Amino acid sequence: MIDPNLFQLICFYAFGVVTVGAALAVITLKNSVHAVLALVLTFFSTACIWLLAEAEFLAIALIVVYVGAVMVLFLFVVMMLDIKQEQVREGFIRYLPVGIVVALVMLVEMLALIGVRAMQAIPMGANPAAAAGMSNTAWLGTALYTQYLLPFEIAALILTVGVVAAVALTLRQRADRRHESASQQVRVNARDRVRIVKMAAEQPARTTAQPQQPGDQEAKP
Amino acid sequence: MGEQILNQLVWPIIYILCIAVPLILAVAMFVYWERKVIGWMHVRMGPNKIGPLGLLQAFADVVKLLIKEVILPSSANRFLYYLAPLLALVPAFAAWAVIPFGERMVLSNANAGVLYLLAMTSLGVYGIILAGWASNSRYALLGAMRSAAQVISYELAMGLCLVCVLVLAGSLNLTDIVHAQAGGKGFLDWFWLPLLPVFVIYFISGVAETNRAPFDVAEGESEIVAGFHVEYSGSAFAIFFLAEYANMILVSFLASVLFLGGWLSPFQGWITADVSPWVNWIWTGGFIWLFIKAFLFAFMFLWFRASFPRYRYDQIMRLGWKVFIPIAIAWVLVAGCMKYFGWVSIGTGV
């Protein structure tokens, strides 16, 4: 039987290859809907890698938030936009130097971070969740709501402010806007809508009951 | 080595088949039951020609769909067009892995079970969106758009309802959630009582999530023919159908597990007699109770369909965003208070 550690390593590299391949596909595919789907695959395989690292909460949260909600909205927008492929291609060479510069800066920053960690020789500590004898999710919840309560609350507040700001920016009040009030509709009575008027019959009833031809009455008003 | 393969490969596959095959049969019978029930509510007979009482109608439909041709519309995206039904079906079946049918009767007793369920139900929308887009049809695209907006909106309300359950149960594990509803007061110990508004919201959101009447604007026949699956025929259509009904049964089971005590008996704690293993389940609980509860919810899906006219699109959005989400957020606070001040007794397990 295969050694479990070796199997985990094989899985890691397999997921890694899929992640990198999908990420490359995001920026090379011509069809923008396909590119969005490649991004979904990138997130999905990243979640798989995190599951390998026993970060189950992060992995599932990534799928729920990004794959389940954010990317659906992305797909939504991309489908509606109907982007012309040629226009997208046009700027490729022109913006290539800028892109390379940005990529290089990011690479240097990441290497610097790795270097700092290596110099300080911070070892990756033992899995705190396993040490506490809890599942990853339970430990994360306990830590967030006890040790890191204030930063967590501040982050939540900033997000709420962001939502309010987004709504305030896009809200347009128009004077001629017509809308209906559901509570008003529910509270409406039959009496408000229909008025029954009692009135005398206009024609006196016929005294002589003569059988008439059908259609005769409509012809003579 | 042989034993290892048996334990890690063969038994799980047998367990999976033990869930998936009855599920497919349940979908077939559910379709029959739906047509019968709606028929009775319309004062009609419903299907009654094929087999005794029309019981074989669903199988006749399946055979008919399977031998029909799958038509690919012109200039449709071939790969995504065939992928979309599978993307709809896989999450609908994968979610069943964490449903506990009884004490220790669960395929995967995952600690993050509720999160996994949320992830799986949110993946189902991809099948619908891609089907709409890949079909190269206006009607299908409109249906997909409506469906995506609706599913995302109601997922928020559904997620908040789950948060209330989690706060009370103190666990993401579905088996633990059922255990938290155990107690000596029978069905009054279940979460439906302290979480009554949330319970109602959860089930209505479940109806909206599965695109069922009265929230079925995604396939509103009168406006956009059949919505996202208008171009699908034969077995591809059958897969969408299977996914939709599997999701309905899933929502019924989830509502039972989260709010009606799963496999627990409504008379739990009232009777302590030990008669015989064949009778004891009536008060100690067993998977039959879960099936009865799930059946009631599944029946309500059909009842809704026969009773209510379709919601208008803006009414659906208003109900989700302006009614359900505020109530659910408020009830998260109420549930927190219940837990903190100990207003609700939480069972700790059997």
Side-chain angles (χ1 to χ4, degrees):
Chain A
M1 207 62 194
I2 311 171
D3 181 37
N5 285 328
L6 180 67
F7 185 64
Q8 199 173 355
L9 202 65
I10 294 172
C11 283
F12 172 75
Y13 281 116
F15 292 145
V17 166
V18 174
T19 310
V20 174
L24 281 176
V26 174
I27 52 173
T28 50
L29 281 176
K30 286 183 180 172
N31 190 325
S32 42
V33 171
H34 290 174
V36 172
L37 289 175
L39 192 53
V40 170
L41 182 60
T42 314
F43 283 136
F44 206 87
S45 29
T46 311
C48 292
I49 292 179
W50 286 356
L51 270 183
L52 276 185
E54 292 178 15
E56 56 186 34
F57 179 79
L58 274 183
I60 300 180
L62 181 75
I63 291 185
V64 172
V65 175
Y66 279 91
V67 178
V70 174
M71 293 317 292
V72 172
L73 293 178
F74 254 67
L75 208 55
F76 210 86
V77 172
V78 166
M79 282 177 184
M80 298 293 260
L81 282 182
D82 193 23
I83 301 162
K84 296 274 180 296
Q85 305 304 332
E86 296 76 26
Q87 291 176 351
V88 176
R89 290 275 132 179
E90 265 174 16
F92 185 69
I93 298 296
R94 198 146 57 92
Y95 293 120
L96 191 61
V98 184
I100 290 175
V101 169
V102 172
L104 276 178
V105 169
M106 282 171 71
L107 183 69
V108 169
E109 282 174 351
M110 277 195 267
L111 286 178
L113 264 182
I114 296 171
V116 167
R117 276 191 86 95
M119 263 189 276
Q120 290 179 342
I122 309 167
M124 296 296 272
N127 188 347
M134 284 193 265
S135 77
N136 171 273
T137 316
W139 183 81
L140 207 60
T142 317
L144 269 184
Y145 282 98
T146 52
Q147 202 177 345
Y148 300 103
L149 183 62
L150 187 65
F152 186 70
E153 298 281 312
I154 291 172
L157 200 67
I158 292 173
L159 278 176
T160 315
V161 170
V163 170
V164 173
V167 171
L169 279 177
T170 52
L171 188 68
R172 288 175 302 157
Q173 283 291 357
R174 283 177 49 176
D176 58 340
R177 198 166 60 105
R178 285 198 278 176
H179 61 97
E180 55 193 32
S181 153
S183 56
Q184 225 174 357
Q185 287 176 331
V186 169
R187 271 187 278 120
V188 79
N189 280 320
R191 246 173 287 124
D192 306 333
R193 294 276 166 92
V194 183
R195 195 162 54 97
I196 296 174
V197 184
K198 269 216 177 341
M199 56 190 291
E202 288 192 5
Q203 280 186 326
R206 286 176 191 277
T207 47
T208 52
Q210 283 180 340
Q212 284 183 323
Q213 293 293 322
D216 209 4
Q217 271 185 322
E218 283 98 11
K220 285 180 280 184
Chain B
M1 181 176 161
E3 201 177 337
Q4 203 174 1
I5 291 179
L6 192 72
N7 280 336
Q8 295 189 349
L9 205 66
V10 178
W11 279 116
I13 289 178
I14 292 175
Y15 291 147
I16 290 169
L17 287 179
C18 283
I19 295 176
V21 174
L23 179 60
I24 294 173
L25 288 177
V27 166
M29 293 327 289
F30 189 36
V31 174
Y32 164 75
W33 180 241
E34 171 177 36
R35 294 176 63 180
K36 262 309 202 203
V37 165
I38 293 181
W40 291 329
M41 288 182 186
H42 292 169
V43 202
R44 299 184 278 114
M45 293 294 284
N48 63 349
K49 292 287 182 241
I50 301 172
L53 301 171
L55 273 167
L56 298 179
Q57 178 68 48
F59 299 98
D61 289 345
V62 169
V63 171
K64 184 197 78 172
L65 282 173
L66 289 184
I67 58 178
K68 271 179 140 181
E69 185 188 358
V70 180
I71 298 165
L72 182 74
S74 63
S75 69
N77 190 314
R78 173 184 284 270
F79 176 67
L80 292 181
Y81 183 80
Y82 290 131
L83 184 70
L86 297 180
L87 282 181
L89 183 69
V90 169
F93 273 71
W96 285 87
V98 290
I99 301 282
F101 293 100
E103 193 71 49
R104 286 192 298 281
M105 280 172 69
V106 55
L107 182 62
S108 160
N109 195 10
N111 277 325
V114 174
L115 275 178
Y116 171 81
L117 273 174
L118 265 181
M120 282 304 133
T121 47
S122 61
L123 285 185
V125 68
Y126 277 98
I128 293 174
I129 298 185
L130 289 178
W133 184 77
S135 305
N136 188 31
S137 155
R138 297 286 189 280
Y139 290 128
L141 191 62
L142 280 173
M145 292 291 165
R146 289 178 173 194
S147 169
Q150 181 181 327
V151 169
I152 288 183
S153 312
Y154 279 86
E155 217 165 66
L156 292 174
M158 219 169 174
L160 286 168
C161 299
L162 289 178
V163 169
C164 294
V165 175
L166 301 185
V167 167
L168 281 195
S171 172
L172 284 165
N173 185 318
L174 284 165
T175 307
D176 289 349
I177 289 175
V178 173
H179 282 158
Q181 302 179 58
K185 294 202 291 290
F187 62 91
L188 299 176
D189 263 322
W190 298 344
F191 284 162
W192 68 272
L193 193 58
L195 300 178
L196 191 59
V198 171
F199 170 47
V200 175
I201 290 177
Y202 180 83
F203 189 62
I204 297 177
S205 304
V207 177
E209 277 262 308
T210 45
N211 289 324
R212 290 292 297 181
F215 300 99
D216 57 345
V217 287
E219 44 187 286
E221 294 87 353
S222 49
E223 307 143 25
I224 49 174
V225 196
F228 63 93
H229 57 48
V230 63
E231 303 292 344
Y232 282 85
S233 59
S235 51
F237 171 74
I239 291 177
F240 274 122
F241 207 71
L242 185 60
E244 180 181 331
Y245 280 78
N247 270 328
M248 282 162 69
I249 301 178
L250 178 73
V251 168
S252 310
F253 269 89
L254 275 179
S256 320
V257 167
L258 296 173
F259 295 99
L260 289 191
W263 67 81
L264 299 175
S265 156
F267 318 116
Q268 53 171 345
W270 292 358
I271 309 168
T272 48
D274 186 14
V275 182
S276 129
W278 296 101
V279 189
N280 279 357
W281 63 267
I282 295 176
W283 50 87
T284 56
F287 64 92
I288 299 174
W289 278 119
L290 178 62
F291 286 3
I292 293 173
K293 291 165 191 170
F295 177 78
L296 288 178
F297 283 116
F299 176 73
M300 280 165 74
F301 270 98
L302 313 181
W303 196 359
F304 288 166
R305 183 176 162 191
S307 309
F308 297 127
R310 184 175 297 136
Y311 262 116
R312 221 171 48 210
Y313 185 70
D314 62 308
Q315 290 170 331
I316 291 183
M317 286 298 148
R318 180 185 163 274
L319 185 70
W321 287 97
K322 294 187 179 172
V323 181
F324 282 177
I325 291 180
I327 294 178
I329 289 179
W331 217 261
V332 170
L333 300 179
V334 175
C337 291
M338 285 176 181
K339 178 84 172 177
Y340 187 76
F341 296 114
W343 296 341
V344 183
S345 65
I346 305 296
T348 47
V350 186

